[in-house]
Amino acid sequence: MLHKSGFVNIIGLPNVGKSTLMNSIVEKKLSIITNKPQTTRHRIFGIVNRSNFQIIFSDTPGIIHPYYPMQKIMMQYVRKSLQDADIILFTTEIGKLEYFSMFDNINNNIPMIILINKIDKISIKKEEDLLYDTINYWHKLFPHSEILPISALKKINIDLLMHKIITLLSEHPPYYPKEFLSNKSERFFVNEIIREKIFFIYKQEIPYSVEIQTELFKEQKTFIYIFSSIYVEKNSQKGILIGKKGLTIKKLKFFSVKSMESFFRKKIKLKFHVKICFNWRYDFKKLKHFGY
Ligand SMILES: Nc1nc2c(ncn2[C@@H]2O[C@H](COP(=O)(O)OP(=O)(O)O)[C@@H](O)[C@H]2O)c(=O)[nH]1
Ligand SMILES: [Mg+2]
């Protein structure tokens, strides 16, 4: 039987719905989603396996102007994914007409589909016009690329997108064992789930200042024991993270456990340890230690 396989990289500006799209395609919440930019820090694979194809999707951080070392590394992930793709899914949303010099790095030999996301928001004539303006804008910039309006959230045109992707892919044996869902470990997903809850619970700089390291992930018959360290950049942030009488971190634990239980389909026993790693975001050595 003919078997197709390839790498499909999802790139675009922050907050346009790249992570939502990947989760919706792989039908599992591999990438964390918030309404804030810079939620996705790493490059995350989501693999779709069928008997006659294997597609390796790659969710990437949103394209930004990098200011500090962590953002520089994030943009290296993006640059790489513009080069090593078999297909690029350039994702944007209705009304977003913004050009970044990063787009000049797109390899013209790689087929690219431009996705105009969030079309579920169209309810009035004015928004329909905005969709046409958006399509025209991107068509002028990339005249050879196909443009497809979608809704990642409401799954509009996702089947059609999958069909287009499979048509574009070449014949190739699977790159990964067929039972693989992702390139990331269980500990990575634990870290990401905690980080997502931190985005929801804490304000301002806290979500951007934390990094999680899961020291222990021990699966038993009925439970998974997890021990995670939460690193902050300075002492004052430690207090905020823990909260009065430890109430805020209790809340964090509660929501993290709930989410992990649904992800791993098992009861979770979770322990936190809050530590300080001075200015880790600005230090290449510390970033390397954290897996960037
Ligand atoms: N209305 C609508 N909202 C969406 C859609 N896709 C994503 N969003 C929302 O847009 C925000 C950013 O989504 P996310 O996937 O994290 O974007 P990313 O930064 O590009 O990865 C979240 O609040 C999503 O719920 C969509 O198709 N329709
Ligand atoms: Mg994302």
Side-chain angles (χ1 to χ4, degrees):
M1 187 175 44
L2 181 98
H3 188 280
K4 290 184 161 194
S5 192
F7 291 82
V8 178
N9 299 351
I10 305 170
I11 60 129
L13 297 178
N15 250 1
V16 296
K18 298 179 297 300
S19 298
T20 308
L21 174 66
M22 188 172 86
N23 292 342
S24 137
I25 291 173
V26 302
E27 291 175 338
K28 174 119 186 139
K29 203 173 156 209
L30 293 180
S31 267
I32 62 173
I33 295 165
T34 73
N35 56 6
K36 303 197 179 69
Q38 291 186 55
T39 308
T40 310
R41 288 179 183 171
H42 295 266
R43 189 169 163 188
I44 303 167
F45 284 177
I47 305 177
V48 179
N49 292 298
R50 297 287 182 276
S51 59
N52 56 339
F53 65 82
Q54 177 178 68
I55 309 174
I56 303 112
F57 288 92
S58 193
D59 183 20
T60 61
I63 295 168
I64 48 169
H65 293 296
Y67 290 110
Y68 51 85
M70 186 179 74
Q71 294 180 327
K72 287 207 175 99
I73 295 175
M74 281 161 60
M75 289 311 101
Q76 280 166 19
Y77 295 147
V78 177
R79 215 165 287 123
K80 188 153 187 290
S81 60
L82 289 174
Q83 296 299 329
D84 66 7
D86 292 310
I87 300 169
I88 292 172
L89 298 182
F90 179 88
T91 312
T92 181
E93 64 175 89
I94 299 183
K96 199 154 217 145
L97 315 175
E98 237 177 304
Y99 195 84
F100 264 61
S101 57
M102 173 76 92
F103 301 159
D104 299 339
N105 292 307
I106 294 176
N107 182 337
N108 282 324
N109 299 319
I110 302 173
M112 179 164 94
I113 304 173
I114 297 172
L115 304 174
I116 315 281
N117 192 27
K118 309 196 185 180
I119 56 161
D120 56 288
K121 292 211 285 201
I122 294 179
S123 55
I124 50 169
K125 179 83 179 66
K126 211 173 101 201
E127 287 162 354
E128 246 175 60
D129 294 344
L130 198 58
L131 173 62
Y132 288 117
D133 291 347
T134 313
I135 291 175
N136 281 333
Y137 177 84
W138 293 107
H139 177 67
K140 273 192 195 127
L141 286 169
F142 300 107
H144 303 297
S145 296
E146 191 170 348
I147 297 182
L148 184 66
I150 61 160
S151 166
L153 198 65
K154 299 282 154 67
K155 300 203 180 203
I156 302 171
N157 280 348
I158 301 299
D159 287 347
L160 183 61
L161 171 63
M162 281 301 280
H163 181 79
K164 285 182 191 296
I165 291 170
I166 294 163
T167 310
L168 284 170
L169 280 181
S170 322
E171 204 180 329
H172 198 281
Y175 287 93
Y176 293 90
K178 280 277 186 148
E179 68 277 10
F180 271 36
L181 279 179
S182 179
N183 61 333
K184 297 287 183 188
S185 66
E186 286 151 330
R187 286 172 201 234
F188 174 82
F189 291 112
V190 166
N191 300 344
E192 291 290 275
I193 287 169
I194 299 169
R195 228 160 47 74
E196 181 183 57
K197 302 307 162 203
I198 289 175
F199 264 102
F200 283 113
I201 294 173
Y202 300 91
K203 307 247 156 8
Q204 284 150 7
E205 97 275 13
I206 295 286
Y208 299 99
S209 314
V210 298
E211 181 62 30
I212 322 286
Q213 291 267 285
T214 294
E215 267 44 272
L216 179 82
F217 184 99
K218 201 167 165 196
E219 191 157 359
Q220 312 238 303
K221 233 189 199 135
T222 49
F223 280 101
I224 305 173
Y225 289 96
I226 297 173
F227 186 83
S228 303
S229 296
I230 305 176
Y231 289 90
V232 290
E233 285 183 318
K234 43 188 181 218
N235 209 17
S236 58
Q237 293 169 342
K238 192 170 170 176
I240 299 173
L241 200 87
I242 293 170
K244 247 192 204 141
K245 292 184 183 160
L247 279 181
T248 329
I249 199 158
K250 233 178 173 170
K251 196 163 143 191
L252 176 64
K253 194 165 143 184
F254 175 79
F255 287 112
S256 302
V257 165
K258 249 177 93 171
S259 198
M260 287 175 200
E261 288 183 340
S262 117
F263 189 90
F264 294 109
R265 303 212 168 108
K266 235 181 196 178
K267 284 267 166 230
I268 303 285
K269 287 194 173 173
L270 175 65
K271 249 191 177 156
F272 284 144
H273 197 169
V274 182
K275 297 176 183 170
I276 296 166
C277 184
F278 190 69
N279 278 348
W280 65 268
R281 264 190 297 173
Y282 301 86
D283 185 330
F284 278 110
K285 226 166 146 186
K286 287 173 183 162
L287 282 163
K288 196 165 176 203
H289 172 77
F290 283 141
Y292 286 95

